Coordinates of all heavy atoms in Angstrom, one line a residue:
M17 N -15.8 31.0 38.0 CA -15.5 29.5 38.1 C -16.0 28.8 36.9 O -15.3 27.9 36.3 CB -16.0 28.9 39.4 CG -15.2 29.2 40.6 SD -13.5 28.7 40.5 CE -13.7 26.9 40.9
G18 N -17.2 29.1 36.5 CA -17.8 28.4 35.3 C -16.9 28.5 34.1 O -16.7 27.5 33.4
L19 N -16.4 29.7 33.8 CA -15.6 30.0 32.6 C -14.3 29.2 32.7 O -13.9 28.7 31.7 CB -15.4 31.5 32.5 CG -14.7 31.9 31.2 CD1 -15.6 31.7 30.0 CD2 -14.3 33.4 31.3
I20 N -13.7 29.2 33.8 CA -12.4 28.5 34.0 C -12.6 27.0 33.7 O -11.8 26.3 33.0 CB -11.8 28.7 35.4 CG1 -11.3 30.2 35.5 CG2 -10.6 27.8 35.7 CD1 -11.0 30.7 36.9
K21 N -13.7 26.4 34.3 CA -14.0 25.0 34.1 C -14.2 24.7 32.6 O -13.8 23.7 32.1 CB -15.3 24.6 34.9 CG -15.0 24.2 36.3 CD -16.2 23.7 37.0 CE -16.0 23.4 38.4 NZ -17.2 23.0 39.2
L22 N -14.9 25.6 31.9 CA -15.1 25.5 30.5 C -13.8 25.5 29.7 O -13.6 24.7 28.8 CB -16.1 26.6 30.0 CG -16.6 26.5 28.6 CD1 -17.6 25.3 28.5 CD2 -17.2 27.8 28.1
L23 N -12.9 26.4 30.1 CA -11.6 26.5 29.4 C -10.8 25.2 29.6 O -10.1 24.7 28.7 CB -10.8 27.7 29.9 CG -11.3 29.1 29.4 CD1 -10.6 30.2 30.1 CD2 -11.1 29.2 27.9
V24 N -10.8 24.7 30.9 CA -10.1 23.5 31.2 C -10.7 22.3 30.4 O -9.9 21.5 29.8 CB -10.2 23.2 32.7 CG1 -9.7 21.8 33.0 CG2 -9.3 24.2 33.5
F25 N -12.0 22.3 30.3 CA -12.7 21.2 29.6 C -12.3 21.3 28.1 O -12.0 20.3 27.5 CB -14.2 21.4 29.7 CG -15.0 20.4 28.9 CD1 -15.1 19.1 29.4 CD2 -15.6 20.7 27.8 CE1 -15.8 18.1 28.7 CE2 -16.4 19.8 27.0 CZ -16.4 18.5 27.5
I26 N -12.3 22.5 27.5 CA -11.9 22.7 26.1 C -10.4 22.2 25.9 O -10.1 21.5 24.9 CB -12.1 24.1 25.7 CG1 -13.6 24.4 25.5 CG2 -11.4 24.4 24.3 CD1 -13.9 25.9 25.4
A27 N -9.5 22.6 26.8 CA -8.1 22.2 26.8 C -8.0 20.7 26.8 O -7.2 20.2 26.0 CB -7.3 22.9 27.9
V28 N -8.7 20.1 27.7 CA -8.6 18.6 27.8 C -9.1 17.9 26.5 O -8.5 17.0 26.0 CB -9.4 18.1 29.0 CG1 -9.6 16.6 29.0 CG2 -8.7 18.5 30.3
V29 N -10.2 18.4 26.0 CA -10.8 17.9 24.8 C -9.8 18.1 23.6 O -9.6 17.2 22.8 CB -12.2 18.5 24.4 CG1 -12.6 18.2 23.0 CG2 -13.2 18.1 25.4
F30 N -9.2 19.3 23.5 CA -8.3 19.6 22.4 C -7.0 18.7 22.5 O -6.6 18.1 21.5 CB -7.8 21.1 22.5 CG -6.9 21.5 21.4 CD1 -7.5 21.8 20.2 CD2 -5.6 21.6 21.6 CE1 -6.6 22.2 19.1 CE2 -4.7 22.0 20.6 CZ -5.3 22.3 19.3
A31 N -6.5 18.5 23.8 CA -5.4 17.6 24.0 C -5.7 16.1 23.6 O -4.9 15.5 22.9 CB -4.9 17.6 25.4
A32 N -6.9 15.7 24.0 CA -7.4 14.4 23.6 C -7.5 14.2 22.1 O -7.1 13.2 21.6 CB -8.7 14.1 24.3
L33 N -8.0 15.2 21.4 CA -8.2 15.1 20.0 C -6.8 15.1 19.3 O -6.6 14.3 18.3 CB -9.0 16.3 19.5 CG -10.5 16.2 19.5 CD1 -11.1 17.6 19.1 CD2 -11.0 15.2 18.5
T34 N -5.9 15.9 19.8 CA -4.5 15.9 19.2 C -3.9 14.6 19.3 O -3.3 14.0 18.4 CB -3.7 17.0 19.9 OG1 -4.4 18.2 19.8 CG2 -2.3 17.2 19.2
L35 N -4.0 14.0 20.5 CA -3.4 12.7 20.8 C -4.0 11.6 19.9 O -3.4 10.8 19.3 CB -3.6 12.3 22.3 CG -2.7 11.2 22.8 CD1 -1.3 11.6 23.0 CD2 -3.2 10.8 24.2
W36 N -5.4 11.7 19.8 CA -6.1 10.7 19.0 C -5.7 10.8 17.5 O -5.5 9.8 16.9 CB -7.6 10.9 19.2 CG -8.5 9.9 18.6 CD1 -8.7 8.6 19.0 CD2 -9.2 10.0 17.4 NE1 -9.5 8.0 18.2 CE2 -9.9 8.8 17.2 CE3 -9.5 11.1 16.5 CZ2 -10.7 8.6 16.1 CZ3 -10.3 10.8 15.4 CH2 -10.9 9.6 15.2
R37 N -5.6 12.0 17.1 CA -5.2 12.2 15.7 C -3.8 11.6 15.4 O -3.5 11.1 14.3 CB -5.2 13.7 15.3 CG -6.6 14.2 15.0 CD -6.6 15.6 14.5 NE -7.9 16.1 14.3 CZ -8.2 17.4 14.1 NH1 -7.2 18.3 14.1 NH2 -9.4 17.8 13.9
R38 N -2.9 11.8 16.4 CA -1.5 11.3 16.2 C -1.6 9.7 16.1 O -0.9 9.1 15.3 CB -0.6 11.7 17.4 CG -0.1 13.1 17.3 CD 0.9 13.4 18.4 NE 1.2 14.8 18.4 CZ 2.0 15.4 19.4 NH1 2.3 14.7 20.4 NH2 2.3 16.7 19.4
L39 N -2.4 9.2 17.0 CA -2.5 7.7 17.0 C -3.1 7.2 15.7 O -2.7 6.2 15.1 CB -3.4 7.2 18.2 CG -2.7 7.3 19.5 CD1 -3.8 7.1 20.6 CD2 -1.6 6.3 19.7
Q40 N -4.1 8.0 15.2 CA -4.7 7.6 13.9 C -3.8 7.7 12.8 O -3.7 6.8 11.9 CB -5.9 8.5 13.7 CG -7.1 8.2 14.5 CD -7.8 6.9 14.2 OE1 -7.7 5.9 15.0 NE2 -8.4 6.8 13.0
S41 N -2.9 8.8 12.7 CA -2.0 9.0 11.6 C -0.9 7.9 11.7 O -0.5 7.4 10.6 CB -1.3 10.3 11.7 OG -0.5 10.4 12.9
K42 N -0.5 7.4 12.9 CA 0.4 6.3 13.0 C -0.2 5.0 12.4 O 0.5 4.3 11.7 CB 0.8 6.1 14.5 CG 1.9 7.0 14.9 CD 2.3 6.6 16.4 CE 3.4 7.6 16.9 NZ 3.7 7.4 18.3
R43 N -1.5 4.8 12.8 CA -2.2 3.6 12.2 C -2.2 3.7 10.7 O -2.1 2.7 10.0 CB -3.6 3.5 12.8 CG -3.6 2.9 14.2 CD -5.0 2.8 14.7 NE -5.0 2.5 16.1 CZ -6.1 2.4 16.8 NH1 -7.3 2.7 16.3 NH2 -6.1 2.1 18.1
N44 N -2.6 4.9 10.2 CA -2.7 5.1 8.7 C -1.3 4.8 8.0 O -1.3 4.3 7.0 CB -3.2 6.5 8.4 CG -4.6 6.7 8.7 OD1 -5.4 5.7 8.9 ND2 -5.1 7.9 8.9
N45 N -0.2 5.3 8.7 CA 1.1 5.0 8.1 C 1.4 3.6 8.0 O 2.0 3.1 7.1 CB 2.2 5.7 9.0 CG 2.2 7.2 8.8 OD1 1.6 7.7 7.8 ND2 2.8 8.0 9.7
R46 N 1.0 2.8 9.1 CA 1.2 1.4 9.1 C 0.4 0.7 8.0 O 0.8 -0.1 7.3 CB 0.8 0.8 10.4 CG 1.8 0.9 11.5 CD 1.4 0.3 12.8 NE 2.2 0.7 13.9 CZ 1.9 0.5 15.2 NH1 0.7 -0.1 15.4 NH2 2.6 0.9 16.1
R47 N -0.9 1.2 7.8 CA -1.7 0.7 6.8 C -1.2 0.9 5.4 O -1.2 0.1 4.5 CB -3.1 1.3 6.9 CG -4.0 0.6 7.9 CD -5.4 1.2 7.9 NE -6.1 0.9 9.1 CZ -7.3 1.5 9.4 NH1 -7.7 2.5 8.7 NH2 -7.9 1.2 10.5
S48 N -0.7 2.2 5.2 CA -0.1 2.5 3.8 C 1.1 1.7 3.5 O 1.3 1.3 2.4 CB 0.1 4.0 3.8 OG 1.1 4.4 4.7
S49 N 1.9 1.5 4.6 CA 3.2 0.7 4.4 C 2.8 -0.8 4.1 O 3.4 -1.4 3.3 CB 4.1 0.8 5.6 OG 3.5 0.2 6.7
A50 N 1.7 -1.2 4.7 CA 1.3 -2.6 4.5 C 0.7 -2.7 3.1 O 0.9 -3.7 2.4 CB 0.2 -3.0 5.5
A51 N 0.0 -1.6 2.6 CA -0.6 -1.6 1.3 C 0.5 -1.7 0.2 O 0.3 -2.3 -0.8 CB -1.4 -0.4 1.1
T52 N 1.6 -1.0 0.5 CA 2.7 -1.0 -0.5 C 3.4 -2.3 -0.6 O 3.9 -2.7 -1.7 CB 3.8 0.1 -0.2 OG1 4.2 -0.1 1.2 CG2 3.2 1.5 -0.4
T53 N 3.4 -3.1 0.5 CA 4.0 -4.5 0.4 C 3.1 -5.5 -0.3 O 3.6 -6.4 -0.9 CB 4.3 -5.0 1.8 OG1 3.2 -4.8 2.6 CG2 5.5 -4.2 2.4
S54 N 1.7 -5.2 -0.2 CA 0.8 -6.1 -0.9 C 0.4 -5.5 -2.2 O -0.7 -5.0 -2.4 CB -0.4 -6.4 0.0 OG -1.1 -5.2 0.3
K55 N 1.3 -5.5 -3.2 CA 1.0 -5.0 -4.5 C 0.3 -6.0 -5.3 O 0.3 -7.2 -5.0 CB 2.3 -4.6 -5.2 CG 3.0 -3.4 -4.6 CD 4.4 -3.2 -5.1 CE 5.0 -2.0 -4.4 NZ 6.5 -1.9 -4.6
P56 N -0.4 -5.5 -6.4 CA -1.1 -6.5 -7.3 C -0.1 -7.5 -7.9 O 0.9 -7.1 -8.4 CB -1.7 -5.6 -8.3 CG -1.0 -4.3 -8.3 CD -0.6 -4.2 -6.8
M57 N -0.5 -8.8 -7.8 CA 0.4 -9.9 -8.3 C 0.0 -10.3 -9.7 O -1.2 -10.3 -10.0 CB 0.3 -11.1 -7.3 CG 0.7 -10.8 -5.9 SD 2.4 -10.4 -5.7 CE 3.1 -12.1 -5.6
V58 N 1.0 -10.6 -10.5 CA 0.7 -11.1 -11.8 C 1.5 -12.4 -12.0 O 2.4 -12.7 -11.2 CB 1.2 -10.1 -12.9 CG1 0.3 -8.8 -12.8 CG2 2.7 -9.7 -12.7
R59 N 1.1 -13.2 -13.0 CA 1.7 -14.5 -13.2 C 2.5 -14.5 -14.5 O 2.0 -14.0 -15.5 CB 0.6 -15.6 -13.3 CG 1.2 -17.0 -13.1 CD 0.0 -18.0 -13.2 NE -0.6 -18.0 -14.5 CZ -1.6 -18.8 -14.9 NH1 -2.1 -19.6 -14.0 NH2 -2.1 -18.8 -16.1
C60 N 3.7 -15.0 -14.4 CA 4.5 -15.2 -15.6 C 3.8 -16.2 -16.6 O 3.5 -17.3 -16.2 CB 5.9 -15.6 -15.3 SG 7.0 -15.9 -16.7
S61 N 3.7 -15.8 -17.9 CA 3.0 -16.7 -18.8 C 3.9 -17.8 -19.2 O 3.5 -18.8 -19.8 CB 2.7 -15.9 -20.1 OG 1.7 -14.9 -19.8
Q62 N 5.2 -17.7 -18.9 CA 6.2 -18.7 -19.3 C 6.4 -19.8 -18.2 O 6.2 -21.0 -18.5 CB 7.5 -18.1 -19.7 CG 8.5 -19.1 -20.2 CD 8.1 -19.5 -21.6 OE1 7.3 -19.0 -22.3 NE2 8.8 -20.6 -22.0
C63 N 6.7 -19.4 -17.0 CA 7.0 -20.3 -15.9 C 5.9 -20.3 -14.8 O 6.1 -21.0 -13.8 CB 8.3 -20.0 -15.3 SG 8.4 -18.4 -14.4
Q64 N 4.8 -19.5 -15.0 CA 3.7 -19.5 -14.0 C 4.0 -19.0 -12.6 O 3.2 -19.1 -11.7 CB 3.0 -20.9 -13.9 CG 2.8 -21.6 -15.2 CD 2.0 -20.9 -16.2 OE1 1.0 -20.3 -15.9 NE2 2.4 -20.8 -17.5
V65 N 5.2 -18.4 -12.5 CA 5.5 -17.9 -11.1 C 4.8 -16.5 -10.9 O 4.6 -15.8 -11.8 CB 7.1 -17.7 -11.0 CG1 7.6 -16.4 -11.8 CG2 7.5 -17.6 -9.6
H66 N 4.4 -16.3 -9.6 CA 3.7 -15.1 -9.3 C 4.7 -14.1 -8.8 O 5.6 -14.4 -8.0 CB 2.6 -15.4 -8.2 CG 1.4 -16.1 -8.8 ND1 1.4 -17.4 -9.0 CD2 0.2 -15.6 -9.2 CE1 0.2 -17.8 -9.5 NE2 -0.5 -16.7 -9.6
L67 N 4.5 -12.8 -9.2 CA 5.4 -11.7 -8.7 C 4.7 -10.4 -8.8 O 3.7 -10.3 -9.4 CB 6.7 -11.7 -9.6 CG 6.6 -11.2 -11.0 CD1 7.9 -10.8 -11.5 CD2 6.1 -12.3 -11.9
P68 N 5.2 -9.4 -8.0 CA 4.5 -8.1 -8.0 C 4.5 -7.5 -9.4 O 5.5 -7.6 -10.1 CB 5.4 -7.3 -7.0 CG 6.1 -8.3 -6.2 CD 6.3 -9.5 -7.0
E69 N 3.5 -6.7 -9.6 CA 3.3 -6.1 -10.9 C 4.4 -5.2 -11.4 O 4.8 -5.2 -12.5 CB 2.0 -5.4 -10.9 CG 1.4 -5.1 -12.3 CD 0.1 -4.3 -12.2 OE1 -0.9 -5.0 -12.0 OE2 0.1 -3.1 -12.3
D70 N 5.0 -4.5 -10.4 CA 6.0 -3.5 -10.7 C 7.4 -4.2 -11.0 O 8.3 -3.5 -11.5 CB 6.2 -2.5 -9.6 CG 6.6 -3.1 -8.3 OD1 6.4 -4.3 -8.1 OD2 7.1 -2.4 -7.4
R71 N 7.5 -5.5 -10.7 CA 8.7 -6.2 -11.0 C 8.6 -7.1 -12.2 O 9.5 -7.7 -12.7 CB 9.1 -7.1 -9.8 CG 9.7 -6.3 -8.6 CD 10.0 -7.2 -7.4 NE 10.9 -8.3 -7.8 CZ 11.1 -9.3 -7.0 NH1 10.5 -9.4 -5.8 NH2 11.9 -10.3 -7.4
A72 N 7.4 -7.1 -12.7 CA 7.1 -8.0 -13.9 C 7.4 -7.2 -15.2 O 7.4 -6.0 -15.2 CB 5.7 -8.5 -13.9
V73 N 7.6 -8.0 -16.2 CA 7.8 -7.5 -17.6 C 6.5 -7.6 -18.4 O 6.0 -8.8 -18.4 CB 9.0 -8.2 -18.3 CG1 9.2 -7.6 -19.7 CG2 10.2 -8.1 -17.5
R74 N 6.0 -6.6 -18.9 CA 4.7 -6.7 -19.6 C 4.9 -6.7 -21.1 O 5.7 -5.9 -21.6 CB 3.8 -5.5 -19.2 CG 2.4 -5.7 -19.7 CD 1.5 -4.6 -19.2 NE 0.1 -4.8 -19.6 CZ -0.9 -4.0 -19.3 NH1 -0.7 -3.0 -18.6 NH2 -2.1 -4.3 -19.7
D75 N 4.1 -7.5 -21.8 CA 4.1 -7.5 -23.2 C 2.7 -7.7 -23.7 O 2.1 -8.8 -23.6 CB 5.1 -8.7 -23.7 CG 5.2 -8.6 -25.2 OD1 5.9 -7.7 -25.7 OD2 4.7 -9.5 -25.9
N76 N 2.1 -6.7 -24.3 CA 0.7 -6.6 -24.7 C -0.2 -7.0 -23.5 O -0.2 -6.3 -22.5 CB 0.5 -7.5 -25.9 CG 1.2 -7.0 -27.1 OD1 1.3 -5.8 -27.3 ND2 1.7 -7.9 -27.9
Q77 N -0.9 -8.1 -23.6 CA -1.8 -8.5 -22.5 C -1.1 -9.5 -21.5 O -1.7 -9.9 -20.5 CB -3.0 -9.2 -23.1 CG -3.9 -8.3 -23.9 CD -4.4 -7.0 -23.2 OE1 -4.9 -7.2 -22.1 NE2 -4.2 -5.9 -23.8
R78 N 0.1 -9.9 -21.8 CA 0.8 -10.9 -21.0 C 1.8 -10.4 -20.0 O 2.4 -9.3 -20.3 CB 1.4 -12.0 -21.9 CG 0.4 -12.8 -22.6 CD 1.1 -13.9 -23.4 NE 0.1 -14.8 -24.0 CZ 0.4 -16.0 -24.6 NH1 1.6 -16.3 -24.7 NH2 -0.6 -16.8 -25.0
W79 N 2.1 -11.1 -18.9 CA 3.1 -10.7 -18.0 C 4.2 -11.8 -17.9 O 3.9 -13.0 -18.1 CB 2.5 -10.5 -16.6 CG 1.6 -9.3 -16.5 CD1 0.2 -9.3 -16.6 CD2 2.0 -8.0 -16.2 NE1 -0.2 -8.0 -16.5 CE2 0.8 -7.2 -16.2 CE3 3.2 -7.4 -15.9 CZ2 0.8 -5.8 -15.9 CZ3 3.2 -6.0 -15.6 CH2 2.0 -5.3 -15.6
Y80 N 5.4 -11.3 -17.6 CA 6.5 -12.2 -17.5 C 7.4 -11.8 -16.3 O 7.4 -10.6 -16.0 CB 7.4 -12.2 -18.8 CG 6.6 -12.6 -20.0 CD1 6.0 -11.6 -20.8 CD2 6.3 -13.9 -20.3 CE1 5.3 -12.0 -21.9 CE2 5.6 -14.3 -21.4 CZ 5.1 -13.3 -22.2 OH 4.3 -13.6 -23.3
C81 N 8.1 -12.8 -15.7 CA 8.9 -12.5 -14.6 C 10.2 -11.9 -15.0 O 10.8 -11.2 -14.2 CB 9.2 -13.8 -13.8 SG 10.2 -15.0 -14.7
C82 N 10.6 -12.1 -16.2 CA 11.9 -11.5 -16.7 C 11.8 -11.3 -18.2 O 11.0 -11.9 -18.9 CB 13.1 -12.3 -16.2 SG 12.9 -14.1 -16.7
A83 N 12.8 -10.6 -18.7 CA 12.8 -10.4 -20.2 C 13.1 -11.7 -20.9 O 12.7 -11.9 -22.1 CB 13.9 -9.3 -20.5
E84 N 13.9 -12.6 -20.3 CA 14.3 -13.9 -20.9 C 13.0 -14.7 -21.2 O 12.9 -15.3 -22.3 CB 15.2 -14.7 -20.0 CG 16.7 -14.2 -20.1 CD 16.9 -12.9 -19.2 OE1 16.0 -12.6 -18.4 OE2 17.9 -12.3 -19.4
H85 N 12.1 -14.7 -20.2 CA 10.9 -15.5 -20.4 C 9.9 -14.8 -21.4 O 9.2 -15.5 -22.2 CB 10.2 -15.7 -19.1 CG 10.8 -16.8 -18.3 ND1 10.4 -17.1 -17.0 CD2 11.8 -17.6 -18.5 CE1 11.1 -18.1 -16.5 NE2 12.0 -18.4 -17.4
R86 N 10.0 -13.5 -21.5 CA 9.2 -12.8 -22.5 C 9.7 -13.2 -23.9 O 8.9 -13.5 -24.8 CB 9.3 -11.3 -22.3 CG 8.5 -10.5 -23.3 CD 8.9 -9.0 -23.3 NE 10.3 -8.9 -23.6 CZ 11.1 -7.8 -23.4 NH1 10.6 -6.8 -22.9 NH2 12.3 -7.8 -23.8
D87 N 11.0 -13.2 -24.1 CA 11.6 -13.5 -25.4 C 11.3 -15.0 -25.7 O 11.1 -15.3 -26.9 CB 13.1 -13.2 -25.4 CG 13.3 -11.7 -25.2 OD1 12.4 -10.9 -25.5 OD2 14.4 -11.3 -24.8
A88 N 11.5 -15.8 -24.7 CA 11.3 -17.3 -24.9 C 9.8 -17.6 -25.4 O 9.6 -18.4 -26.2 CB 11.6 -18.0 -23.6
D89 N 8.9 -16.8 -24.8 CA 7.5 -17.0 -25.2 C 7.2 -16.6 -26.6 O 6.4 -17.2 -27.3 CB 6.6 -16.2 -24.2 CG 5.2 -16.8 -24.2 OD1 5.0 -18.1 -24.3 OD2 4.2 -16.1 -23.9
H90 N 8.0 -15.6 -27.1 CA 7.8 -15.2 -28.5 C 8.3 -16.2 -29.4 O 7.9 -16.3 -30.6 CB 8.5 -13.8 -28.6 CG 7.7 -12.7 -28.2 ND1 6.7 -12.2 -29.0 CD2 7.7 -11.9 -27.1 CE1 6.1 -11.1 -28.3 NE2 6.7 -11.0 -27.2
H91 N 9.3 -17.0 -29.0 CA 9.9 -18.0 -29.9 C 9.0 -19.2 -30.1 O 9.3 -20.0 -31.0 CB 11.3 -18.4 -29.4 CG 12.3 -17.3 -29.5 ND1 12.7 -16.7 -30.7 CD2 13.1 -16.6 -28.6 CE1 13.6 -15.8 -30.6 NE2 13.8 -15.7 -29.3
D92 N 8.1 -19.4 -29.2 CA 7.2 -20.6 -29.3 C 6.3 -20.5 -30.6 O 5.7 -19.5 -30.8 CB 6.3 -20.8 -28.1 CG 7.2 -21.2 -26.9 OD1 8.3 -21.7 -27.1 OD2 6.7 -21.1 -25.8
Ligands
LIG108 ZN1 9.0 -16.7 -15.8

């Protein structure tokens, strides 16, 4: 009886761990998706608008919201 109880206990613990890991991975997926939406923001040197870094146009040390503003800043 003692061995069967031990096997049942191990099975319950294993099932609980598997379930817990699934819940944790779901939470991690939510966190990673949230992290992708909150990307580093940069400011356009021309119009001061804030936008995600991957959508901005970079020129040396400055950031711009679009190529037009980058070119306009060069003309000043
Ligand atoms: Zn701009």
